[in-house]
Amino acid sequence: MSERIIIIGGGAAGPKTAAKLRRERPDFIIDLYTQEDIISYSACGLPYYIENIIQSSDSLIVRTPDDFRKQNINIHTKQKCIKIKTNEKKILIEDLNSNKQYEAEYDILVLATGAIPIIPEIKGINLKNIFTLRTIQDGINIKEKMLTSKKALLLGGGYISVETLEAFVHNGLKVTLIEKNSQILKMFDEDFAHRITDYIIGRNPGQVSILTGEEVIEFKGDENQEVKKVITSSGKEIETDFVVLGTGVRPNTDFLLDSEIKLGINNSIKVNSTMRSSKCGIYAAGDCCEKYNLVTNRYTWLPMGSTANKEGRCAAINIAGDSCNFDGILNSTITKYFDMTISIIGISYKEAKELGFQPEFAIVTKRDKAGYMPNPGTVTLKLIVDKNTRTILGVQGIGDGDVNRRINTVIPAILSKTKLETFMNLDLPYSPPYSPAIDPVLNAAQIIYQKLN
Amino acid sequence: MSERIIIIGGGAAGPKTAAKLRRERPDFIIDLYTQEDIISYSACGLPYYIENIIQSSDSLIVRTPDDFRKQNINIHTKQKCIKIKTNEKKILIEDLNSNKQYEAEYDILVLATGAIPIIPEIKGINLKNIFTLRTIQDGINIKEKMLTSKKALLLGGGYISVETLEAFVHNGLKVTLIEKNSQILKMFDEDFAHRITDYIIGRNPGQVSILTGEEVIEFKGDENQEVKKVITSSGKEIETDFVVLGTGVRPNTDFLLDSEIKLGINNSIKVNSTMRSSKCGIYAAGDCCEKYNLVTNRYTWLPMGSTANKEGRCAAINIAGDSCNFDGILNSTITKYFDMTISIIGISYKEAKELGFQPEFAIVTKRDKAGYMPNPGTVTLKLIVDKNTRTILGVQGIGDGDVNRRINTVIPAILSKTKLETFMNLDLPYSPPYSPAIDPVLNAAQIIYQKLN
């Protein structure tokens, strides 16, 4: 008899698992349930849709339910999993059209329910025009509101806020960003967060305000219950036409709280490197799962579309009967604000100190090609090395030059625990249009080497 | 007493050694001898000077003799080393201004004499307007001739010829490139060499001819002894206004042939990882040295400005009394032809076969950002893995997208012998403007993984 596979979740990991599993095992019966009405879309592209770099929200859809049905994968949209009954190998589902509940039986279950926005408990949070940005419908709503607005307020200073800020500034709005921590992008060291803030403020003078160390304590609305201003912890009153909450996300695992499935950090699902959960026959992949940080050797939680894809693929290979391991992540992230690339891999100097490493660092700012070539970009890198092991713990990079290339060069070296001396002499290909004779990332390593000797 | 350091050679490695050594040891007496009249210039930039992307040849000079003299480094231009007398710790020098010879004494000697063009023995090779491209004066001569010419002929199909070809095509010339091998860029696999050739031919239809498997057997000149046409091995007669020889270079070590200093491949100077030659007290660095290939674990010879800089730095640290190792290279090279980046690291599939590896490969052609983002570039990658060890042997990349980033991501993995399974799941930072959710270089690894399982 064919195995019956049920996948819950239609973002990145679920559809990836389904598609890969179908290629590996034409004989399996695959059913995918999602509470949304579309599946397989790129949430990471939403800020660029709002900015109007991408005109149609349909562009963000990788594959439609019909595409999957053609592959003999049964897609059930607007069907929400309420509960899993692990002993009976059944799930309880609510049809969001009819509100009726029913059960479905599985041999193997894959949990890929993703993450959901955290809604802060602030007075007035239920006013109109206070948005989260997670689904395509969220993006459509925000874009529509932006196009008739002059002022926006962003709550939270993470990546999504920076990307949404670009979208709003590009469309001529005046924007206030409020962050309760003392800096935006808290995974970066303070010096880099300040450089990024300075660039954001300086790029469009008068158009952007960034308030750090400040909290919103109340949203105030008009007679139509539409938000009109916010009151902050220091007593500021800031007018706005709408608000986007960038106050973080959490694993979408509430329906598992009373199950036998073990949860870890932030209530994310504990999985081993083969994507098996604590319960036999149940796998999990994507933003709902706990991650393992290969730099700190600790469990962590970081929702990323790229990781979700890899985990979905890995789960599918194991379900199909082959063997595949996904060992963990390096907390690699990247974004941009107009011409500035912003990226961090591994851990910051601050975090390294907190975790008990003995970090040393170097900061370099260099042209990204030979000095005599026209139109050079600039890259600023902060490389962090552990003095005891002389291995790389992390790198932060910003600039209008090819930052990403330098960052990517460090990643396998972090993973392999390459010694500083070896990394410093890495044979990177050289040609004047692509780099100085000694690449900036090697410069940074040379400077740390000098400091340590 | 202060150590007396003599450095021979003024290209990249010599000046680098001098500058680094001066920073480390203010007490040493440093003398640098070069047969040229300038030092410390970027030969790699010459094609871009000819193309007129760089207007002045002075831009290619990193530092002048006066800059060095201010650092208390004695620069002796137009002074050619004829012989070294290792037992007496002296070198014999000819003053190229007066043709007088004299000796200089050293405690430590650094050989950084670089490489010189190979001049093929072809009838008519001494005609006027047959150029090599190695020194700034060569670049000035070629640019001057190009600006009044309509047709050019390039002999040899290596990187310098491809770069010079771009320069000539950009300036409106009709150009014929003749290569005796069956493909240009012989370090690449045939399939990639053909893709590159097709791009070059197709980019400027009618302006470029590439003849492979063809040799020049005679240069014919006019009554002024200026070259006017070439005769090829298949009997073709090709008219041209001038010729550039891209027929390779060799280590500039003829003056060492009767010395006690051991020479290796192509008569390059044998050095250990501290840049010491076989003779105590004599170091060598840069293009005149043998290299160690960390992929093949064999000695090789590949002249590169980036390697010369690293070796010069390493030699200086060791001479100063500290310890530094330069373990070897990965044969990393890169160039471009207009919008196409062209790069290879490690070894090709063909070379892997020849060397007795059991190679497997994958070729991917992908957009270099998320599919829905505007203005995507394309990257085509060929990744080569050894079936026995499941480690990466090499990568070739071409395309108008960010090829270099993908190539650079592979380099530390080749060096560290990272397993395919680990590399395939590498945590590269993802954001739609920078890559698809699964980066093309990871796609290539996944495909090989599929093939091997």
Side-chain angles (χ1 to χ4, degrees):
Chain A
M1 207 184 80
S2 294
E3 294 270 0
R4 295 165 303 176
I5 316 296
I6 288 184
I7 298 167
I8 309 175
K16 182 73 185 184
T17 306
K20 177 69 180 166
L21 190 53
R22 173 52 73 232
R23 280 197 296 276
E24 299 282 316
R25 297 297 300 251
D27 54 323
F28 282 8
I29 299 163
I30 305 176
D31 284 89
L32 186 151
Y33 294 85
T34 173
Q35 63 186 86
E36 296 188 58
D37 53 1
I38 54 168
I39 65 160
S40 187
Y41 62 92
S42 170
C44 310
L46 287 169
Y48 306 101
Y49 163 69
I50 296 171
E51 186 164 358
N52 219 19
I53 289 172
I54 307 161
Q55 274 77 46
S56 164
S57 63
D58 289 348
S59 306
L60 299 178
I61 298 170
V62 182
R63 281 190 294 178
T64 65
D66 272 350
D67 293 334
F68 283 93
R69 284 179 195 124
K70 280 176 199 155
Q71 283 187 279
N72 196 25
I73 295 165
N74 309 307
I75 303 292
H76 311 272
T77 55
K78 305 210 78 164
Q79 308 296 310
K80 184 176 181 177
C81 179
I82 310 283
K83 196 180 174 71
I84 63 175
K85 301 179 175 181
T86 53
N87 292 334
E88 301 167 50
K89 293 202 157 197
K90 284 179 184 169
I91 60 169
L92 180 65
I93 301 158
E94 181 179 333
D95 181 333
L96 297 181
N97 302 301
S98 65
N99 293 326
K100 283 184 185 155
Q101 296 189 354
Y102 60 100
E103 290 181 338
E105 282 183 63
Y106 62 84
D107 296 310
I108 289 172
L109 179 65
V110 181
L111 303 170
T113 49
I116 48 174
I118 296 169
I119 312 294
E121 292 183 9
I122 298 172
K123 196 175 170 192
I125 191 79
N126 292 319
L127 289 170
K128 290 176 193 160
N129 298 330
I130 298 179
F131 302 99
T132 55
L133 178 53
R134 189 76 193 161
T135 66
I136 287 197
Q137 193 56 52
D138 293 336
I140 291 170
N141 295 343
I142 293 172
K143 188 173 189 171
E144 196 176 83
K145 183 65 189 165
M146 175 194 74
L147 291 172
T148 58
S149 297
K150 291 186 174 159
K151 287 181 190 158
L153 189 132
L154 290 165
L155 195 53
Y159 274 25
I160 290 186
S161 287
V162 169
E163 291 163 5
T164 311
L165 180 61
E166 177 186 306
F168 294 164
V169 169
H170 186 216
N171 283 277
L173 276 69
K174 280 201 165 194
V175 192
T176 304
L177 187 153
I178 297 180
E179 165 59 53
K180 70 177 176 196
N181 291 306
S182 61
Q183 66 176 61
I184 61 168
L185 302 172
K186 66 181 177 197
M187 65 291 262
F188 283 82
D189 280 321
E190 197 182 2
D191 52 352
F192 264 55
H194 283 172
R195 286 169 194 244
I196 297 164
T197 302
D198 289 348
Y199 176 78
I200 291 173
I201 299 290
R203 191 188 182 282
N204 298 77
Q207 212 179 328
V208 180
S209 300
I210 295 182
L211 306 179
T212 53
E214 188 90 75
E215 291 190 65
V216 169
I217 56 167
E218 186 177 354
F219 297 103
K220 292 214 164 188
D222 62 9
E223 62 284 6
N224 298 321
Q225 296 299 303
E226 293 181 348
V227 70
K228 286 297 164 193
K229 63 179 171 187
V230 305
I231 315 289
T232 73
S233 46
S234 75
K236 288 195 178 69
E237 298 201 3
I238 301 161
E239 294 189 357
T240 189
D241 297 323
F242 68 106
V243 172
V244 176
L245 300 174
T247 38
V249 293
R250 63 186 180 86
N252 182 16
T253 54
D254 289 352
F255 70 107
L256 299 174
L257 288 175
D258 61 354
S259 78
E260 289 176 61
I261 292 172
K262 276 198 192 138
L263 303 182
I265 289 180
N266 286 9
N267 284 336
S268 57
I269 302 166
K270 277 211 166 286
V271 285
N272 67 15
S273 66
T274 64
M275 307 317 297
R276 285 170 171 94
S277 77
S278 61
K279 185 78 188 170
C280 184
I282 301 184
Y283 291 72
D287 291 355
C288 61
C289 289
E290 199 175 51
K291 315 294 171 195
Y292 191 72
N293 184 321
L294 296 165
V295 181
T296 63
N297 292 319
R298 293 170 187 224
Y299 289 100
T300 184
W301 186 70
L302 183 77
M304 283 297 297
S306 46
T307 304
N309 267 283
K310 289 170 195 152
E311 290 179 341
R313 186 175 177 277
C314 179
I317 291 172
N318 287 309
I319 294 166
D322 279 337
S323 169
C324 181
N325 287 279
F326 182 80
D327 292 329
I329 63 171
L330 300 169
N331 277 21
S332 303
T333 59
I334 190 165
T335 190
K336 75 178 196 69
Y337 185 78
F338 291 99
D339 291 333
M340 180 185 261
T341 297
I342 299 166
S343 182
I344 179 168
I345 314 292
I347 54 177
S348 66
Y349 183 81
K350 177 181 61 185
E351 195 180 354
K353 280 268 191 193
E354 285 164 7
L355 291 170
F357 291 99
Q358 300 283 314
E360 185 55 88
F361 74 95
I363 296 176
V364 296
T365 296
K366 297 273 177 186
R367 291 181 184 206
D368 74 344
K369 49 183 81 167
Y372 47 80
M373 294 298 283
N375 309 319
T378 297
V379 301
T380 298
L381 300 171
K382 182 171 185 173
L383 190 70
I384 294 140
V385 167
D386 179 45
K387 285 183 206 176
N388 291 333
T389 60
R390 297 176 82 101
T391 58
I392 303 171
L393 297 172
V395 61
Q396 295 161 67
I398 53 175
D400 62 357
D402 192 346
V403 169
N404 198 5
R405 185 205 319 158
R406 276 73 193 197
I407 291 286
N408 272 27
T409 306
V410 179
I411 294 172
I414 295 179
L415 188 70
S416 306
K417 306 202 183 301
T418 303
K419 297 280 177 188
L420 177 67
E421 289 79 349
T422 302
F423 183 78
M424 176 177 83
N425 282 322
L426 198 61
D427 188 14
L428 302 181
Y430 162 59
S431 176
Y434 295 101
S435 73
I438 298 295
D439 193 88
V441 74
L442 303 185
N443 273 139
Q446 290 177 349
I447 291 169
I448 299 179
Y449 179 86
Q450 291 283 106
K451 283 188 176 182
L452 297 187
N453 280 34
Chain B
M1 205 183 83
S2 296
E3 293 269 359
R4 294 165 304 175
I5 316 295
I6 287 183
I7 299 166
I8 309 175
K16 182 74 185 184
T17 307
K20 177 68 180 168
L21 191 54
R22 172 53 73 231
R23 281 197 294 278
E24 299 280 316
R25 296 298 300 249
D27 55 322
F28 282 8
I29 299 162
I30 306 175
D31 285 89
L32 186 152
Y33 294 85
T34 173
Q35 64 186 84
E36 295 188 57
D37 53 1
I38 55 168
I39 64 160
S40 187
Y41 63 90
S42 170
C44 311
L46 288 169
Y48 307 101
Y49 163 70
I50 295 171
E51 186 164 356
N52 218 18
I53 289 173
I54 306 162
Q55 273 77 45
S56 164
S57 63
D58 290 347
S59 307
L60 298 178
I61 297 172
V62 183
R63 282 190 293 176
T64 64
D66 273 350
D67 294 333
F68 282 94
R69 284 178 196 126
K70 279 176 198 154
Q71 283 188 280
N72 197 24
I73 295 164
N74 309 306
I75 303 291
H76 311 271
T77 56
K78 305 211 78 162
Q79 308 295 311
K80 183 176 183 178
C81 178
I82 310 284
K83 194 180 175 72
I84 63 173
K85 301 179 175 181
T86 53
N87 292 334
E88 300 167 51
K89 294 204 154 194
K90 285 180 183 169
I91 61 169
L92 181 64
I93 300 157
E94 181 179 331
D95 181 333
L96 297 181
N97 301 301
S98 66
N99 294 325
K100 285 185 184 153
Q101 296 189 355
Y102 60 99
E103 290 182 339
E105 283 183 61
Y106 63 82
D107 296 309
I108 290 172
L109 179 65
V110 181
L111 302 171
T113 49
I116 48 174
I118 296 168
I119 311 294
E121 291 183 11
I122 297 172
K123 195 175 169 191
I125 191 79
N126 292 319
L127 288 169
K128 290 176 194 163
N129 299 329
I130 298 179
F131 302 99
T132 56
L133 178 53
R134 188 78 193 159
T135 66
I136 287 198
Q137 193 56 51
D138 292 337
I140 292 170
N141 295 342
I142 292 171
K143 187 173 191 173
E144 194 176 83
K145 184 66 189 165
M146 175 195 75
L147 291 172
T148 58
S149 296
K150 291 185 173 160
K151 288 181 189 160
L153 189 134
L154 290 163
L155 194 53
Y159 274 25
I160 290 185
S161 288
V162 169
E163 293 164 4
T164 311
L165 179 61
E166 177 185 307
F168 294 164
V169 169
H170 186 216
N171 283 277
L173 276 68
K174 280 200 166 197
V175 193
T176 304
L177 186 153
I178 298 179
E179 164 60 52
K180 69 178 177 195
N181 291 305
S182 61
Q183 65 176 60
I184 63 168
L185 302 172
K186 66 181 177 194
M187 64 291 261
F188 284 81
D189 280 321
E190 197 182 1
D191 52 352
F192 265 55
H194 283 172
R195 286 169 193 244
I196 297 164
T197 301
D198 289 347
Y199 176 79
I200 292 173
I201 299 289
R203 191 187 183 282
N204 299 76
Q207 211 178 330
V208 181
S209 301
I210 296 182
L211 306 179
T212 53
E214 189 89 75
E215 290 190 65
V216 170
I217 56 167
E218 185 178 355
F219 297 103
K220 291 213 167 188
D222 62 8
E223 63 282 6
N224 299 321
Q225 296 299 302
E226 293 181 348
V227 69
K228 287 296 164 195
K229 63 180 173 187
V230 305
I231 316 290
T232 74
S233 46
S234 75
K236 289 196 178 70
E237 298 201 4
I238 301 161
E239 294 190 358
T240 189
D241 297 323
F242 67 107
V243 172
V244 176
L245 301 174
T247 39
V249 293
R250 63 185 180 87
N252 182 16
T253 55
D254 288 352
F255 69 108
L256 298 174
L257 288 175
D258 61 354
S259 78
E260 288 175 60
I261 292 172
K262 277 198 192 139
L263 303 181
I265 290 180
N266 285 11
N267 284 337
S268 57
I269 301 167
K270 277 211 166 288
V271 285
N272 67 14
S273 66
T274 63
M275 307 317 296
R276 285 172 172 91
S277 77
S278 62
K279 185 77 190 172
C280 184
I282 301 183
Y283 291 73
D287 291 356
C288 60
C289 290
E290 199 175 52
K291 316 293 172 195
Y292 191 72
N293 185 319
L294 296 164
V295 181
T296 63
N297 292 320
R298 293 170 188 224
Y299 289 99
T300 185
W301 187 69
L302 183 76
M304 283 296 296
S306 47
T307 304
N309 267 284
K310 289 170 195 152
E311 291 179 341
R313 186 174 176 280
C314 180
I317 290 172
N318 287 309
I319 293 167
D322 280 336
S323 168
C324 181
N325 287 278
F326 182 81
D327 291 329
I329 64 170
L330 301 168
N331 278 20
S332 303
T333 58
I334 190 166
T335 191
K336 73 178 198 70
Y337 185 78
F338 291 101
D339 291 333
M340 180 185 263
T341 297
I342 300 165
S343 182
I344 179 169
I345 314 291
I347 55 177
S348 66
Y349 183 82
K350 178 182 60 183
E351 196 180 353
K353 280 267 191 194
E354 285 165 6
L355 290 171
F357 291 99
Q358 299 283 314
E360 185 57 88
F361 74 95
I363 295 175
V364 296
T365 296
K366 297 273 177 185
R367 290 182 185 204
D368 74 343
K369 51 182 80 167
Y372 48 80
M373 294 298 284
N375 309 317
T378 297
V379 301
T380 297
L381 300 171
K382 181 171 186 173
L383 190 69
I384 294 140
V385 167
D386 180 44
K387 285 184 206 175
N388 290 333
T389 60
R390 298 177 83 101
T391 57
I392 304 170
L393 297 173
V395 60
Q396 295 160 66
I398 53 174
D400 62 358
D402 193 346
V403 168
N404 198 5
R405 186 204 321 158
R406 277 72 192 197
I407 291 286
N408 273 27
T409 306
V410 180
I411 294 173
I414 296 179
L415 188 69
S416 307
K417 307 201 182 301
T418 304
K419 296 280 177 190
L420 178 67
E421 287 79 349
T422 303
F423 183 78
M424 176 176 84
N425 282 324
L426 198 60
D427 188 14
L428 302 181
Y430 162 59
S431 177
Y434 295 101
S435 74
I438 299 294
D439 194 88
V441 74
L442 303 185
N443 273 138
Q446 290 176 349
I447 292 168
I448 300 179
Y449 179 86
Q450 291 283 107
K451 283 189 178 183
L452 297 187
N453 280 32

